[in-house]
Amino acid sequence: MGEIELPEALVKALREVRSVGVITGAGISAESGIPTYRGRGGIYDDPDEGDRTVEALSAHTLESDPDRTWRALFQIAGAAANARPNAGHLAITAIERKAARFVLLTQNVDGLHRLAGTQNIIDIHGDAFHVICTACGNRNQFNDPRTGGITSLCLNMHECMAANVAPRCPCGGVYRPDVVLFGEMLPEDKLARLYAELLDNPPDLVISVGTSAMFPYIVQPVLVAAAAGKLTIEINPEATEISDFVAFHLRTNAGEALPMIAAAMAGTEEGKG
Ligand code: NAD
Ligand code: ZN
């Protein structure tokens, strides 16, 4: 990708920013070794493989063949279990600390923003380490080898992956992943936060990074901010639906651009007061 420099007009504008919204997709975790869906090296590069994954990760497959849903889910969770936050995730945490108001809207289910220390996260598609029993509603989670949070109350991901079937609750019911599957509604409480924190009162700066921006609720916050005259940035090596609408499209990797943005923003580590 090579070295980039931020345009001077952008550096100047970043100094004035007080409130920030960041929207992330699978691309921000690519540099942590987790494959994206679309884009270069994404599994949809192979359309058959892509179709099979969408089918497996759908509400109707969960009902008819939960083992199949879980096999697909284990691929994401298994990759995530070995991954560490990269410079992009860490820069977002630094940006949050500098901002007077901050929200992160992520489509990722890999938990890496949480591990990087970002606080105000709307994980609109859920978390692949969390599960809910489809029979009794009990919640549980996989022990996360990245945090050392291994307790006997948690599910053992290695055992579950080795068995390669849907994990079960002590009540006998099948667990489902606490993620939004294809064909399912978004959780209302998270949508309400998305509206309140990004749409009703758009932040001074909205950054979209590493997402192919296929969903209206991902595109909308960027368009609303742009229409309100706020600063908008896209970070993606490729062009997407929103590229023509942002003030600055940085065609580079998240791990390169985000630390530069964090450095250019005014403020102190005590910014939150
Ligand atoms: P996507 O796979 O559709 O698109 C990824 C985008 O990231 C592409 O536009 C690509 O050009 C860009 N990209 C690739 N490498 C990059 C880098 N180093 N820096 C910046 N950008 C980069 O991702 P999506 O829009 O998030 O949609 C995928 C869906 O699948 C989401 O709903 C998500 O829940 C799920 N998913 C999650 C993970 C994860 O949790 N890490 C991984 C794969 C898929
Ligand atoms: Zn149960």
Side-chain angles (χ1 to χ4, degrees):
M1 202 53 55
E3 301 275 293
I4 64 149
E5 242 178 77
L6 299 183
E8 204 153 314
L10 174 55
V11 173
K12 212 166 152 243
L14 282 170
R15 285 194 204 114
E16 307 301 320
V17 162
R18 294 292 171 271
S19 51
V20 185
V22 179
I23 301 164
T24 66
I28 194 171
S29 295
E31 291 162 86
S32 293
I34 303 177
T36 62
Y37 279 1
R38 292 162 279 253
R40 213 171 302 138
I43 62 164
Y44 293 177
D45 276 3
D46 175 350
D48 294 339
E49 177 72 15
D51 286 350
R52 281 195 296 271
T53 304
V54 171
E55 174 75 14
L57 291 174
S58 70
H60 70 91
T61 300
L62 177 74
E63 205 160 306
S64 61
D65 187 0
D67 293 351
R68 183 174 175 205
T69 300
W70 274 102
R71 285 194 295 274
L73 205 275
F74 284 145
Q75 285 182 3
I76 298 179
N82 294 312
R84 292 284 177 278
N86 63 52
H89 297 106
L90 296 172
I92 289 174
T93 302
I95 291 170
E96 177 175 43
R97 292 193 179 135
K98 290 178 188 216
R101 173 163 77 91
F102 177 91
V103 61
L104 170 68
L105 171 65
T106 186
Q107 299 164 85
N108 296 345
V109 296
D110 56 30
L112 287 176
H113 287 298
R114 171 165 51 76
L115 284 178
T118 302
Q119 298 294 314
N120 193 28
I121 303 175
I122 306 173
D123 56 348
I124 194 80
H125 290 170
D127 188 320
F129 286 82
H130 295 175
V131 301
I132 307 167
C133 175
T134 53
C136 75
N138 261 347
R139 290 177 167 272
N140 203 338
Q141 52 188 294
F142 291 109
N143 48 39
D144 191 336
R146 305 168 301 182
T147 57
I150 298 179
T151 77
S152 54
L153 295 174
C154 293
L155 299 169
N156 184 313
M157 189 184 289
H158 289 300
E159 277 173 18
C160 292
M161 284 182 74
N164 219 15
V165 296
R168 282 181 182 270
C169 175
C171 86
V174 167
Y175 279 126
R176 61 158 296 155
D178 186 12
V179 304
V180 178
L181 298 172
F182 290 96
E184 290 186 325
M185 310 275 281
L186 297 170
E188 267 175 43
D189 53 335
K190 291 177 186 174
L191 266 184
R193 283 178 64 202
L194 189 166
Y195 270 87
E197 299 193 45
L198 282 164
L199 297 177
D200 295 345
N201 185 11
D204 299 340
L205 165 65
V206 173
I207 309 172
S208 168
V209 40
T211 174
S212 52
M214 304 288 286
F215 303 120
Y217 50 91
I218 294 304
V219 172
Q220 209 56 22
V222 179
L223 299 187
V224 166
K230 308 294 187 181
L231 179 61
T232 50
I233 304 174
E234 176 177 41
I235 302 167
N236 196 318
E238 294 176 31
T240 72
E241 300 278 315
I242 59 167
S243 301
D244 290 339
F245 299 97
V246 293
F248 297 93
H249 177 193
L250 307 176
R251 280 182 167 265
T252 186
N253 289 333
E256 183 177 31
L258 282 166
M260 297 174 85
I261 291 171
M265 267 182 66
T268 64
E269 293 301 307
E270 296 80 45
K272 296 213 117 166

